[in-house]
Structures are given as structure tokens and as C-alpha cells.
């Protein structure tokens, strides 16, 4: 598509149906059947799905060869996970030690949007790592539908171990100051919450975007400062927020939470119509503020 479409170009019920589809709650065939009523004016359901799906030509804000940064594919050990993992590591070109940020992708592997987030962090003065949970299958396949199917085949605990190993790898990296934060989106938002629980001595700050909340009994383990981002129209994820908020308050966890009005799950992802520029930019400023406040001191 030549022009960027927005959520306002689609019926909210269709956007909700698409969210169910990309998160595996609706099979492709069922999506196509149920989406047919929204395909009007000669538009096919396939064309409608294409309009809703990521257009990665919109993803790049920072090129891989941007002169401000150094970005390379790397490999690290994950003995309790996949064994060997690959990812993208980026850092500022000038300097020797930087605060570190782990970037956790959505439910489809290390796609171009998440790679760009890694590079964006490097331009902001961080050494950043985006692991690819699809490493055992050869990496992100270049297609989100295939990526989702592959990621669904992985054991959830082993994947979590891969990201835990990545955090420890970053903490010890030669360009790292040893202070580590995490940001994640969708599936990665849930992982960000879990890393705050599972690695309280390593994760100093976490910025989950529309991520599943940890069990309330795990909240006392969190020592990190949290900046939590939610989309007001994301009823599925938001259902778990009240209990999480109460547990955070009861356990004196340092947190701030923001609910962005009128936006959908995935609002930070600038490759789909669900992207909301205002919410994405404001939330990203708040995320960088968190990391600058907690990882640079």
C-alpha cells in the first residue's frame, strides 16, 4: 500500500477480530469467514487482511549502516533454552561503556520492526540486544504468519530461558556498564514482566508494552522500576491490570502505568494501521526516561 492507513480506516470490530487472529485465538479460515462482512465495495478478504498486516517498508527509522551506531548479528549461549541463540546487537559508535537494554519481540520472531527498535536504542546511547526466539528454526522467516506458527512450536519456558540468558549476556558484555533494562512488545511485554520477576538482581528497569501480567504471588520478587504501557481498547490484556496494580502497590514496587486512550494493542508498531503516532512517541519518551533515570545513575 502506498499510503499509511490508520485504525480509523477500519471498523473496530474488524480490528478486534484481527487481534484475535494474530494472537492465535481465531484460525485463519475463521478469520476469513468472519471478516467477509467487512469486505465491501469489491474488496476481497485477502486484500483486507493485507491492509491490516505489517508493511515493513514503514519500519526503518534507523538504517543498519547508520554512521551513529555499530549493529551486528551476534550469537550467545542459552544452555537452559535453545543452546545457541542469535540476535541483533547495536551500540553507539563512539564510547566504550553503555547502559544495556534487552528488546523482546512479539509472537513472531525478530522482524524488521523490532530490529529497528534495537537500533533506535543505540542512537539514544544504549547497547541493545534483540534476540530471535526463532533461532532453532533458522530465524525469523520473513513472513509474520510463518513466524507466529514457528514461535507457537517452541516450549514457553525454554524461550523465557533464552531471554534470561540474553539479559545475563548483556550484563557481562564488554560494551555494557552492567546495568540492564528490558523493553518488550505484546509477547515481549509479558516476557519483560517475567524477567523482572525471574532476574531481580539483573533487571533494574522494565518497560512492558501491552504485556501479560505475572502472577500476583510473584510480584514481591520484583526489584526493578517499571513503566507499563497499555492501550485503552486492548480489553484482553487490560483485564489483568487491576490485580497487577494492586499487587504492585501492596508490595511497594516502583512503577508508573499509562493507559493510552483510543488506541489498540500494538500501537507502538509503526508497520500496521494500529500504529498511533502520538501514543507511540509519548510512550517511547517515557520508556527512554525510565532507562536514563535508572540505568545511568
Amino acid at each position: 500500500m502506498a499510503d499509511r492507513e490508520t485504525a480509523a480506516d477500519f471498523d473496530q470490530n474488524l480490528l478486534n477480530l484481527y487481534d484475535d487472529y494474530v494472537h492465535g485465538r481465531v484460525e485463519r479460515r475463521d478469520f476469513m469467514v468472519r471478516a467477509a462482512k467487512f469486505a465491501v465495495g469489491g474488496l476481497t478478504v485477502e486484500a483486507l487482511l493485507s491492509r491490516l498486516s505489517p508493511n515493513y517498508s514503514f519500519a526503518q527509522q534507523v538504517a543498519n549502516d547508520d554512521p551513529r551506531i555499530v549493529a551486528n548479528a551476534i550469537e550467545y549461549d542459552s544452555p537452559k533454552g535453545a543452546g545457541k541463540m542469535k540476535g541483533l546487537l547495536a551500540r553507539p559508535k563512539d564510547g566504550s561503556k553503555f547502559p544495556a537494554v534487552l528488546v523482546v519481540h512479539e509472537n513472531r520472531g525478530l522482524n524488521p520492526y523490532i530490529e529497528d527498535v534495537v537500533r533506535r536504542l543505540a542512537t539514544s546511547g544504549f547497547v541493545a540486544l534483540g534476540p530471535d526466539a526463532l533461532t532453532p528454526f533458522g530465524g525469523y522467516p520473513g513472513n509474520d504468519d510463518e513466524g507466529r506458527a514457528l514461535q507457537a512450536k517452541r516450549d514457553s519456558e525454554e524461550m523465557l530461558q533464552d531471554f534470561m540468558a540474553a539479559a545475563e549476556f548483556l550484563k557481562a558484555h564488554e560494551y555494557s556498564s552492567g546495568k540492564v533494562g528490558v523493553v518488550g512488545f505484546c509477547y515481549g511485554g509479558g516476557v519483560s514482566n517475567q524477567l523482572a520477576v525471574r532476574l531481580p538482581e539483573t533487571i533494574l528497569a522494565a518497560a512492558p508494552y501491552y504485556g501479560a501480567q505475572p502472577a500476583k504471588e510473584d510480584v514481591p520478587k520484583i526489584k526493578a522500576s517499571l513503566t507499563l504501557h497499555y492501550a485503552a481498547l486492548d480489553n484482553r490484556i487490560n483485564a489483568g491490570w487491576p490485580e497487577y496494580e494492586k499487587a504492585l502497590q501492596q508490595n511497594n514496587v516502583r512503577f508508573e502505568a499509562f493507559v493510552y486512550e483510543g488506541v489498540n494493542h500494538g500501537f507502538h508498531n509503526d508497520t500496521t494501521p494500529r500504529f498511533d503516532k502520538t501514543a507511540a512517541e509519548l510512550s517511547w519518551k517515557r520508556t527512554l526516561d525510565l532507562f536514563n533515570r535508572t540505568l545511568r545513575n
Side-chain angles (χ1 to χ4, degrees):
M1 61 191 171
D3 299 319
R4 184 189 292 274
E5 293 184 283
T6 70
D9 295 313
F10 300 90
D11 188 294
Q12 185 60 43
N13 291 316
L14 175 61
L15 293 172
N16 294 341
L17 177 61
Y18 179 74
D19 186 74
D20 284 339
Y21 166 62
V22 298
H23 291 98
R25 296 185 298 276
V26 171
E27 297 293 332
R28 181 184 177 91
R29 182 174 62 181
D30 291 338
F31 171 84
M32 302 300 271
V33 170
R34 293 168 60 181
K37 67 179 180 180
F38 300 102
V40 297
L43 185 70
T44 67
V45 179
E46 287 285 356
L48 191 59
L49 178 57
S50 177
R51 288 171 56 194
L52 289 165
S53 299
N55 180 343
Y56 287 122
S57 68
F58 292 140
Q60 191 173 95
Q61 295 184 23
V62 182
N64 212 54
D65 60 354
D66 188 295
R68 297 171 292 175
I69 66 171
V70 176
N72 294 300
I74 59 96
E75 187 174 84
Y76 66 92
D77 293 326
S78 179
K80 295 181 181 180
K84 289 287 185 180
M85 284 286 292
K86 294 181 179 180
L88 177 69
L89 185 79
R91 60 174 172 84
K93 183 178 180 182
D94 299 322
S96 58
K97 292 287 184 180
F98 312 98
V101 178
L102 179 66
V103 183
V104 187
H105 58 65
E106 306 141 309
N107 64 337
R108 65 209 70 170
L110 186 62
N111 60 42
Y113 153 62
I114 298 296
E115 289 184 331
D116 201 70
V117 171
V118 172
R119 295 190 293 265
R120 294 174 203 176
L121 282 161
T123 66
S124 294
F126 300 93
V127 56
L129 171 62
D132 190 347
L134 301 187
T135 297
F137 302 111
Y140 173 70
N143 175 285
D144 276 22
D145 282 348
E146 292 178 28
R148 282 190 294 270
L150 290 173
Q151 191 160 321
K153 293 179 180 180
R154 290 216 54 199
D155 178 83
S156 59
E157 175 61 23
E158 287 189 1
M159 275 198 295
L160 184 57
Q161 290 290 339
D162 290 334
F163 290 108
M164 292 170 64
E168 300 296 357
F169 172 83
L170 260 183
K171 185 176 182 178
H173 195 274
E174 62 177 317
Y175 284 102
S176 169
S177 67
K179 295 186 175 182
V180 182
V182 59
V183 60
F185 307 88
C186 182
Y187 163 79
V191 169
S192 298
N193 279 317
Q194 289 298 327
L195 291 185
V197 169
R198 301 282 289 269
L199 297 175
E201 303 303 325
T202 295
I203 299 298
L204 303 182
Y209 277 74
Y210 24 85
Q213 300 83 6
K216 62 181 180 181
E217 55 267 26
D218 286 335
V219 172
K221 302 173 185 176
I222 298 174
K223 296 182 179 180
S225 296
L226 309 178
T227 294
L228 304 132
H229 304 291
Y230 293 102
L233 300 178
D234 187 7
N235 295 329
R236 174 179 59 93
I237 292 296
N238 295 349
W241 169 235
E243 184 175 75
Y244 189 26
E245 180 182 32
K246 183 178 179 180
L248 291 170
Q249 292 169 338
Q250 290 175 339
N251 290 281
N252 298 312
V253 177
R254 297 180 300 274
F255 79 96
E256 52 185 359
F258 302 97
V259 178
Y260 299 86
E261 294 300 323
V263 301
N264 287 272
H265 182 100
F267 69 78
H268 185 269
N269 186 333
D270 49 4
T271 71
T272 83
R274 296 185 295 174
F275 170 65
D276 185 276
K277 187 174 187 293
T278 299
E281 290 181 351
L282 177 57
S283 67
W284 192 243
K285 179 184 181 301
R286 288 166 169 166
T287 294
L288 293 179
D289 286 347
L290 169 73
F291 293 149
N292 285 323
R293 182 173 70 247
T294 58
L295 305 182
R296 295 196 189 277
N297 297 327

